[in-house]
Amino acid sequence: MGMIERIEEISESAQEAVASADDLSSLEAVRVQFLGRKAELTGILRGIAELEADQRGKVGGLANEVRQQTEELISSRSAELEAAELELSLVADSIDVTLPGSPAAPVGHLHPVTRTRRMIEDVMVGLGYRVVEGPEVELDYYNFTALNHPPDHPARMLQDTFYIEPSPATTGGDRGPRDVLLRTHTSPMQVRAMEASPPPLFIIVPGKTYRRDSDATHSPMFHQVEGLAVGEGVTLADLKGTLLAMLREIFGPDREIRMRPHFFPFTEPSVEFDVSCFRCGGSGSLDGGDRCGLCKAIGWIELGGAGMVDPNVFSFVSDAGYDPDLVSGFAFGFGIERIAMLRHGIGDLRLMFDNDLRMLEQFS
Ligand code: PHE
């Protein structure tokens, strides 16, 4: 067989070998086999000088051409295989970042006050109420004056309320030393909400409130939820039905409520409302005959204040469409911590704000 035929054979088998190399390492073996130092083609090229003069040009030319062709084939096959291998490893190594960690990392949980607030909001939104919030730094006008508190009402005393030194920069200098305070209840939002929207109005107002008070059941900062319903023909019976529906959601379907006469400057008549004890079922004694410690054997647990909106409060918002001859309303307010303490059996209010994880982690 002549040199030319042999080189053509080598060329063919190189092409076949390159095409059938199905990964980078077998392709490298093909490269060594056909282009390496010991390859036949390399040997032919090395021996060109020893050939007959008339053979040199043809054999050398063809051998070089085949060598170059084979190099090109290998490098394009190599690019192909590299891309395929990258694709494979991407698929094999892919991480689904949407899967939970394993084991799931501890992520914490909501504070019992937040959970209780959200639960109350859910119940009241279900009854058709809107959730609104208001400023914690409040004007005396909304906190007291427009809620019918007379100028000498004890809640206005320095020992009961935190007053804020008004800054002339923000108040334009027209607020006195007793005009700005930390709201003592969420009730100021009654007036603000009525100013902002005409009746009918159904809102609840969760939020922080402040009083100069500190013991096992009082904290200088605590949370309240206010409720306000105003429309034509709203009665005390609606108040009772609303409180009953809300408290049965929170404390169980068998609960009863009672209202006792009370006084608030901005409601008339005013009541305090109690829920029947969910530990003893309202009997005051436990199954074994022991006295119920939760309600102190009374059968009722005191929760908050309420009443019919005093017509005089409407007179502060008559411009917004609240005519006491046309509309009536009820309002209620209670503490969120108290509800949370009752639901979880927490004995000391201050534990809520110590931020001790040993306490908080019990309520996940
Ligand atoms: N704001 C009253 C309080 O903090 C509670 C209350 C709200 C009473 C609404 C009547 C109506 O004690």
Side-chain angles (χ1 to χ4, degrees), residues 251 254-258 260 273-286 290-303 338 342:
F251 290 113
D254 300 331
R255 300 289 78 77
E256 296 298 337
I257 62 161
R258 74 173 181 185
R260 292 173 285 106
F273 58 94
D274 304 338
V275 66
S276 60
C277 181
F278 53 90
R279 177 141 327 143
C280 64
S283 68
S285 54
L286 301 174
D290 282 353
R291 152 185 200 282
C292 177
L294 188 66
C295 63
K296 305 200 174 60
I298 295 166
W300 294 97
I301 297 170
E302 187 182 320
L303 284 185
R338 184 158 166 73
L342 286 166

mmCIF file of all heavy atoms in Angstrom, residues 251 254-258 260 273-286 290-303 338 342:
data_model
loop_
_atom_site.group_PDB
_atom_site.id
_atom_site.type_symbol
_atom_site.label_atom_id
_atom_site.label_comp_id
_atom_site.label_asym_id
_atom_site.label_seq_id
_atom_site.Cartn_x
_atom_site.Cartn_y
_atom_site.Cartn_z
ATOM 1 N N PHE A 251 -62.731 32.578 73.529
ATOM 2 C CA PHE A 251 -62.687 31.736 74.738
ATOM 3 C C PHE A 251 -63.532 30.465 74.641
ATOM 4 O O PHE A 251 -63.603 29.702 75.594
ATOM 5 C CB PHE A 251 -63.127 32.552 75.960
ATOM 6 C CG PHE A 251 -62.120 33.601 76.365
ATOM 7 C CD1 PHE A 251 -62.417 34.955 76.244
ATOM 8 C CD2 PHE A 251 -60.873 33.247 76.860
ATOM 9 C CE1 PHE A 251 -61.499 35.928 76.611
ATOM 10 C CE2 PHE A 251 -59.947 34.204 77.233
ATOM 11 C CZ PHE A 251 -60.256 35.548 77.100
ATOM 12 N N ASP A 254 -69.076 28.000 74.417
ATOM 13 C CA ASP A 254 -70.022 27.910 75.532
ATOM 14 C C ASP A 254 -70.017 29.133 76.439
ATOM 15 O O ASP A 254 -70.708 29.160 77.459
ATOM 16 C CB ASP A 254 -69.703 26.672 76.393
ATOM 17 C CG ASP A 254 -69.811 25.391 75.573
ATOM 18 O OD1 ASP A 254 -70.617 25.380 74.619
ATOM 19 O OD2 ASP A 254 -69.076 24.427 75.873
ATOM 20 N N ARG A 255 -69.197 30.141 76.112
ATOM 21 C CA ARG A 255 -69.089 31.298 76.997
ATOM 22 C C ARG A 255 -70.358 32.145 76.999
ATOM 23 O O ARG A 255 -71.077 32.220 76.015
ATOM 24 C CB ARG A 255 -67.911 32.186 76.600
ATOM 25 C CG ARG A 255 -66.546 31.523 76.636
ATOM 26 C CD ARG A 255 -66.061 31.233 78.057
ATOM 27 N NE ARG A 255 -66.673 30.060 78.680
ATOM 28 C CZ ARG A 255 -66.326 28.807 78.392
ATOM 29 N NH1 ARG A 255 -65.395 28.551 77.510
ATOM 30 N NH2 ARG A 255 -66.905 27.794 79.004
ATOM 31 N N GLU A 256 -70.610 32.763 78.159
ATOM 32 C CA GLU A 256 -71.662 33.774 78.281
ATOM 33 C C GLU A 256 -70.985 35.075 78.649
ATOM 34 O O GLU A 256 -69.820 35.075 79.080
ATOM 35 C CB GLU A 256 -72.672 33.382 79.371
ATOM 36 C CG GLU A 256 -73.462 32.111 79.071
ATOM 37 C CD GLU A 256 -74.329 32.238 77.818
ATOM 38 O OE1 GLU A 256 -74.675 33.386 77.435
ATOM 39 O OE2 GLU A 256 -74.624 31.187 77.203
ATOM 40 N N ILE A 257 -71.679 36.188 78.459
ATOM 41 C CA ILE A 257 -71.110 37.453 78.939
ATOM 42 C C ILE A 257 -72.131 38.152 79.832
ATOM 43 O O ILE A 257 -73.335 37.862 79.795
ATOM 44 C CB ILE A 257 -70.710 38.406 77.788
ATOM 45 C CG1 ILE A 257 -71.923 38.807 76.952
ATOM 46 C CG2 ILE A 257 -69.645 37.806 76.919
ATOM 47 C CD1 ILE A 257 -71.655 40.054 76.133
ATOM 48 N N ARG A 258 -71.628 39.057 80.645
ATOM 49 C CA ARG A 258 -72.541 39.906 81.392
ATOM 50 C C ARG A 258 -72.005 41.321 81.377
ATOM 51 O O ARG A 258 -70.783 41.540 81.239
ATOM 52 C CB ARG A 258 -72.731 39.403 82.832
ATOM 53 C CG ARG A 258 -71.559 39.650 83.727
ATOM 54 C CD ARG A 258 -71.878 39.289 85.179
ATOM 55 N NE ARG A 258 -70.724 39.575 86.032
ATOM 56 C CZ ARG A 258 -70.662 39.281 87.328
ATOM 57 N NH1 ARG A 258 -71.667 38.674 87.930
ATOM 58 N NH2 ARG A 258 -69.584 39.590 88.035
ATOM 59 N N ARG A 260 -72.076 44.977 83.496
ATOM 60 C CA ARG A 260 -72.393 45.624 84.794
ATOM 61 C C ARG A 260 -72.351 47.128 84.589
ATOM 62 O O ARG A 260 -71.488 47.620 83.863
ATOM 63 C CB ARG A 260 -71.357 45.234 85.843
ATOM 64 C CG ARG A 260 -71.391 43.781 86.272
ATOM 65 C CD ARG A 260 -70.221 43.438 87.176
ATOM 66 N NE ARG A 260 -68.951 43.304 86.436
ATOM 67 C CZ ARG A 260 -67.970 44.182 86.445
ATOM 68 N NH1 ARG A 260 -68.064 45.296 87.165
ATOM 69 N NH2 ARG A 260 -66.877 43.968 85.741
ATOM 70 N N PHE A 273 -67.704 44.789 81.028
ATOM 71 C CA PHE A 273 -68.208 43.480 80.610
ATOM 72 C C PHE A 273 -67.285 42.355 81.072
ATOM 73 O O PHE A 273 -66.063 42.524 81.150
ATOM 74 C CB PHE A 273 -68.452 43.418 79.094
ATOM 75 C CG PHE A 273 -67.241 43.702 78.243
ATOM 76 C CD1 PHE A 273 -66.451 42.645 77.780
ATOM 77 C CD2 PHE A 273 -66.898 44.992 77.880
ATOM 78 C CE1 PHE A 273 -65.337 42.889 76.980
ATOM 79 C CE2 PHE A 273 -65.787 45.246 77.083
ATOM 80 C CZ PHE A 273 -65.011 44.191 76.629
ATOM 81 N N ASP A 274 -67.922 41.243 81.420
ATOM 82 C CA ASP A 274 -67.219 40.063 81.926
ATOM 83 C C ASP A 274 -67.556 38.879 81.019
ATOM 84 O O ASP A 274 -68.625 38.843 80.407
ATOM 85 C CB ASP A 274 -67.695 39.691 83.338
ATOM 86 C CG ASP A 274 -67.573 40.831 84.338
ATOM 87 O OD1 ASP A 274 -66.758 41.755 84.091
ATOM 88 O OD2 ASP A 274 -68.292 40.803 85.354
ATOM 89 N N VAL A 275 -66.663 37.908 80.971
ATOM 90 C CA VAL A 275 -66.944 36.657 80.262
ATOM 91 C C VAL A 275 -67.021 35.547 81.310
ATOM 92 O O VAL A 275 -66.307 35.592 82.319
ATOM 93 C CB VAL A 275 -65.853 36.363 79.195
ATOM 94 C CG1 VAL A 275 -64.495 36.083 79.839
ATOM 95 C CG2 VAL A 275 -66.261 35.199 78.292
ATOM 96 N N SER A 276 -67.901 34.566 81.075
ATOM 97 C CA SER A 276 -67.987 33.467 82.049
ATOM 98 C C SER A 276 -66.670 32.690 82.030
ATOM 99 O O SER A 276 -66.043 32.533 80.989
ATOM 100 C CB SER A 276 -69.166 32.545 81.735
ATOM 101 O OG SER A 276 -69.019 31.985 80.444
ATOM 102 N N CYS A 277 -66.269 32.236 83.194
ATOM 103 C CA CYS A 277 -64.942 31.630 83.364
ATOM 104 C C CYS A 277 -64.818 30.363 82.512
ATOM 105 O O CYS A 277 -65.666 29.472 82.570
ATOM 106 C CB CYS A 277 -64.692 31.306 84.834
ATOM 107 S SG CYS A 277 -63.065 30.582 85.120
ATOM 108 N N PHE A 278 -63.739 30.307 81.691
ATOM 109 C CA PHE A 278 -63.585 29.153 80.812
ATOM 110 C C PHE A 278 -62.900 27.988 81.528
ATOM 111 O O PHE A 278 -62.805 26.896 80.985
ATOM 112 C CB PHE A 278 -62.814 29.527 79.541
ATOM 113 C CG PHE A 278 -61.491 30.194 79.799
ATOM 114 C CD1 PHE A 278 -60.346 29.439 79.931
ATOM 115 C CD2 PHE A 278 -61.410 31.570 79.907
ATOM 116 C CE1 PHE A 278 -59.109 30.051 80.167
ATOM 117 C CE2 PHE A 278 -60.179 32.187 80.135
ATOM 118 C CZ PHE A 278 -59.034 31.427 80.268
ATOM 119 N N ARG A 279 -62.437 28.217 82.773
ATOM 120 C CA ARG A 279 -61.834 27.095 83.492
ATOM 121 C C ARG A 279 -62.890 26.303 84.246
ATOM 122 O O ARG A 279 -62.949 25.085 84.164
ATOM 123 C CB ARG A 279 -60.747 27.580 84.456
ATOM 124 C CG ARG A 279 -60.169 26.443 85.263
ATOM 125 C CD ARG A 279 -58.676 26.482 85.502
ATOM 126 N NE ARG A 279 -57.862 27.046 84.467
ATOM 127 C CZ ARG A 279 -56.776 27.787 84.702
ATOM 128 N NH1 ARG A 279 -56.423 28.050 85.947
ATOM 129 N NH2 ARG A 279 -56.063 28.249 83.708
ATOM 130 N N CYS A 280 -63.770 26.996 84.962
ATOM 131 C CA CYS A 280 -64.777 26.289 85.771
ATOM 132 C C CYS A 280 -66.142 26.305 85.093
ATOM 133 O O CYS A 280 -67.128 25.818 85.650
ATOM 134 C CB CYS A 280 -64.864 26.910 87.158
ATOM 135 S SG CYS A 280 -65.441 28.632 87.137
ATOM 136 N N GLY A 281 -66.215 26.884 83.883
ATOM 137 C CA GLY A 281 -67.491 26.930 83.171
ATOM 138 C C GLY A 281 -68.469 27.909 83.786
ATOM 139 O O GLY A 281 -69.661 27.878 83.495
ATOM 140 N N GLY A 282 -67.976 28.754 84.713
ATOM 141 C CA GLY A 282 -68.843 29.773 85.290
ATOM 142 C C GLY A 282 -69.419 29.385 86.652
ATOM 143 O O GLY A 282 -70.111 30.178 87.288
ATOM 144 N N SER A 283 -69.094 28.161 87.096
ATOM 145 C CA SER A 283 -69.667 27.716 88.372
ATOM 146 C C SER A 283 -68.858 28.207 89.569
ATOM 147 O O SER A 283 -69.359 28.232 90.694
ATOM 148 C CB SER A 283 -69.726 26.181 88.412
ATOM 149 O OG SER A 283 -68.395 25.670 88.467
ATOM 150 N N GLY A 284 -67.605 28.549 89.330
ATOM 151 C CA GLY A 284 -66.761 29.001 90.431
ATOM 152 C C GLY A 284 -66.010 27.874 91.114
ATOM 153 O O GLY A 284 -65.096 28.108 91.899
ATOM 154 N N SER A 285 -66.396 26.628 90.816
ATOM 155 C CA SER A 285 -65.645 25.525 91.428
ATOM 156 C C SER A 285 -65.261 24.494 90.366
ATOM 157 O O SER A 285 -65.970 24.300 89.369
ATOM 158 C CB SER A 285 -66.456 24.865 92.544
ATOM 159 O OG SER A 285 -67.715 24.472 92.065
ATOM 160 N N LEU A 286 -64.123 23.841 90.606
ATOM 161 C CA LEU A 286 -63.590 22.889 89.640
ATOM 162 C C LEU A 286 -64.230 21.510 89.835
ATOM 163 O O LEU A 286 -64.945 21.283 90.831
ATOM 164 C CB LEU A 286 -62.069 22.809 89.785
ATOM 165 C CG LEU A 286 -61.352 24.154 89.561
ATOM 166 C CD1 LEU A 286 -59.862 24.032 89.868
ATOM 167 C CD2 LEU A 286 -61.561 24.639 88.121
ATOM 168 N N ASP A 290 -62.779 21.758 94.127
ATOM 169 C CA ASP A 290 -61.906 22.860 94.532
ATOM 170 C C ASP A 290 -62.430 24.191 93.996
ATOM 171 O O ASP A 290 -63.046 24.244 92.943
ATOM 172 C CB ASP A 290 -60.485 22.635 93.982
ATOM 173 C CG ASP A 290 -59.723 21.619 94.810
ATOM 174 O OD1 ASP A 290 -60.250 21.209 95.875
ATOM 175 O OD2 ASP A 290 -58.613 21.227 94.379
ATOM 176 N N ARG A 291 -62.073 25.242 94.712
ATOM 177 C CA ARG A 291 -62.443 26.595 94.299
ATOM 178 C C ARG A 291 -61.641 26.958 93.047
ATOM 179 O O ARG A 291 -60.444 26.658 92.942
ATOM 180 C CB ARG A 291 -62.126 27.472 95.509
ATOM 181 C CG ARG A 291 -61.776 28.874 95.293
ATOM 182 C CD ARG A 291 -61.398 29.485 96.642
ATOM 183 N NE ARG A 291 -61.510 30.938 96.579
ATOM 184 C CZ ARG A 291 -60.603 31.712 96.018
ATOM 185 N NH1 ARG A 291 -59.511 31.200 95.495
ATOM 186 N NH2 ARG A 291 -60.790 33.022 95.978
ATOM 187 N N CYS A 292 -62.293 27.613 92.044
ATOM 188 C CA CYS A 292 -61.596 27.990 90.802
ATOM 189 C C CYS A 292 -60.712 29.212 91.059
ATOM 190 O O CYS A 292 -61.206 30.266 91.468
ATOM 191 C CB CYS A 292 -62.594 28.285 89.691
ATOM 192 S SG CYS A 292 -61.800 28.825 88.160
ATOM 193 N N GLY A 293 -59.403 29.033 90.834
ATOM 194 C CA GLY A 293 -58.470 30.125 91.101
ATOM 195 C C GLY A 293 -58.475 31.194 90.012
ATOM 196 O O GLY A 293 -58.123 32.339 90.257
ATOM 197 N N LEU A 294 -58.886 30.807 88.799
ATOM 198 C CA LEU A 294 -58.796 31.747 87.680
ATOM 199 C C LEU A 294 -59.790 32.899 87.854
ATOM 200 O O LEU A 294 -59.444 34.067 87.706
ATOM 201 C CB LEU A 294 -59.054 31.020 86.350
ATOM 202 C CG LEU A 294 -58.803 31.868 85.104
ATOM 203 C CD1 LEU A 294 -57.330 32.210 84.966
ATOM 204 C CD2 LEU A 294 -59.302 31.163 83.850
ATOM 205 N N CYS A 295 -61.035 32.565 88.197
ATOM 206 C CA CYS A 295 -62.053 33.618 88.375
ATOM 207 C C CYS A 295 -62.246 33.940 89.854
ATOM 208 O O CYS A 295 -63.164 34.652 90.220
ATOM 209 C CB CYS A 295 -63.373 33.185 87.749
ATOM 210 S SG CYS A 295 -64.082 31.705 88.523
ATOM 211 N N LYS A 296 -61.377 33.373 90.707
ATOM 212 C CA LYS A 296 -61.475 33.540 92.153
ATOM 213 C C LYS A 296 -62.860 33.140 92.661
ATOM 214 O O LYS A 296 -63.471 33.816 93.492
ATOM 215 C CB LYS A 296 -61.137 34.973 92.567
ATOM 216 C CG LYS A 296 -59.766 35.394 92.037
ATOM 217 C CD LYS A 296 -59.181 36.570 92.788
ATOM 218 C CE LYS A 296 -57.764 36.868 92.337
ATOM 219 N NZ LYS A 296 -57.679 37.212 90.883
ATOM 220 N N ALA A 297 -63.364 32.036 92.113
ATOM 221 C CA ALA A 297 -64.640 31.428 92.519
ATOM 222 C C ALA A 297 -65.863 32.285 92.205
ATOM 223 O O ALA A 297 -66.968 32.009 92.651
ATOM 224 C CB ALA A 297 -64.622 31.052 94.009
ATOM 225 N N ILE A 298 -65.653 33.353 91.393
ATOM 226 C CA ILE A 298 -66.781 34.231 91.068
ATOM 227 C C ILE A 298 -67.549 33.700 89.852
ATOM 228 O O ILE A 298 -68.742 33.942 89.694
ATOM 229 C CB ILE A 298 -66.266 35.667 90.791
ATOM 230 C CG1 ILE A 298 -65.653 36.249 92.071
ATOM 231 C CG2 ILE A 298 -67.375 36.580 90.281
ATOM 232 C CD1 ILE A 298 -64.825 37.492 91.828
ATOM 233 N N GLY A 299 -66.856 32.973 88.973
ATOM 234 C CA GLY A 299 -67.516 32.450 87.765
ATOM 235 C C GLY A 299 -67.423 33.400 86.587
ATOM 236 O O GLY A 299 -67.739 33.033 85.460
ATOM 237 N N TRP A 300 -66.993 34.650 86.841
ATOM 238 C CA TRP A 300 -66.898 35.644 85.774
ATOM 239 C C TRP A 300 -65.503 36.259 85.752
ATOM 240 O O TRP A 300 -64.876 36.416 86.796
ATOM 241 C CB TRP A 300 -67.918 36.772 85.984
ATOM 242 C CG TRP A 300 -69.342 36.311 85.870
ATOM 243 C CD1 TRP A 300 -70.164 35.974 86.912
ATOM 244 C CD2 TRP A 300 -70.090 36.113 84.669
ATOM 245 N NE1 TRP A 300 -71.391 35.587 86.431
ATOM 246 C CE2 TRP A 300 -71.374 35.669 85.051
ATOM 247 C CE3 TRP A 300 -69.814 36.271 83.314
ATOM 248 C CZ2 TRP A 300 -72.371 35.374 84.132
ATOM 249 C CZ3 TRP A 300 -70.802 35.990 82.396
ATOM 250 C CH2 TRP A 300 -72.082 35.544 82.790
ATOM 251 N N ILE A 301 -65.024 36.601 84.565
ATOM 252 C CA ILE A 301 -63.717 37.247 84.426
ATOM 253 C C ILE A 301 -63.924 38.620 83.801
ATOM 254 O O ILE A 301 -64.495 38.743 82.713
ATOM 255 C CB ILE A 301 -62.784 36.396 83.538
ATOM 256 C CG1 ILE A 301 -62.528 35.045 84.203
ATOM 257 C CG2 ILE A 301 -61.477 37.122 83.273
ATOM 258 C CD1 ILE A 301 -61.830 34.043 83.301
ATOM 259 N N GLU A 302 -63.446 39.638 84.501
ATOM 260 C CA GLU A 302 -63.621 41.011 84.024
ATOM 261 C C GLU A 302 -62.701 41.273 82.829
ATOM 262 O O GLU A 302 -61.520 40.943 82.859
ATOM 263 C CB GLU A 302 -63.249 41.955 85.176
ATOM 264 C CG GLU A 302 -63.533 43.393 84.904
ATOM 265 C CD GLU A 302 -63.088 44.260 86.094
ATOM 266 O OE1 GLU A 302 -63.298 43.845 87.256
ATOM 267 O OE2 GLU A 302 -62.501 45.323 85.842
ATOM 268 N N LEU A 303 -63.244 41.881 81.775
ATOM 269 C CA LEU A 303 -62.418 42.075 80.581
ATOM 270 C C LEU A 303 -62.233 43.523 80.149
ATOM 271 O O LEU A 303 -61.140 43.921 79.745
ATOM 272 C CB LEU A 303 -63.009 41.289 79.399
ATOM 273 C CG LEU A 303 -62.782 39.782 79.417
ATOM 274 C CD1 LEU A 303 -63.303 39.174 78.139
ATOM 275 C CD2 LEU A 303 -61.299 39.445 79.595
ATOM 276 N N ARG A 338 -54.179 41.145 78.734
ATOM 277 C CA ARG A 338 -55.060 40.431 79.650
ATOM 278 C C ARG A 338 -55.661 39.203 78.957
ATOM 279 O O ARG A 338 -55.718 38.123 79.532
ATOM 280 C CB ARG A 338 -56.163 41.364 80.150
ATOM 281 C CG ARG A 338 -57.057 40.709 81.169
ATOM 282 C CD ARG A 338 -57.773 41.722 82.047
ATOM 283 N NE ARG A 338 -58.857 41.074 82.776
ATOM 284 C CZ ARG A 338 -58.683 40.249 83.790
ATOM 285 N NH1 ARG A 338 -57.448 39.982 84.222
ATOM 286 N NH2 ARG A 338 -59.709 39.679 84.395
ATOM 287 N N LEU A 342 -54.862 35.338 80.021
ATOM 288 C CA LEU A 342 -55.939 34.390 80.338
ATOM 289 C C LEU A 342 -55.841 33.161 79.444
ATOM 290 O O LEU A 342 -55.919 32.022 79.907
ATOM 291 C CB LEU A 342 -57.305 35.063 80.134
ATOM 292 C CG LEU A 342 -57.708 36.095 81.202
ATOM 293 C CD1 LEU A 342 -58.887 36.927 80.715
ATOM 294 C CD2 LEU A 342 -58.045 35.391 82.523
#
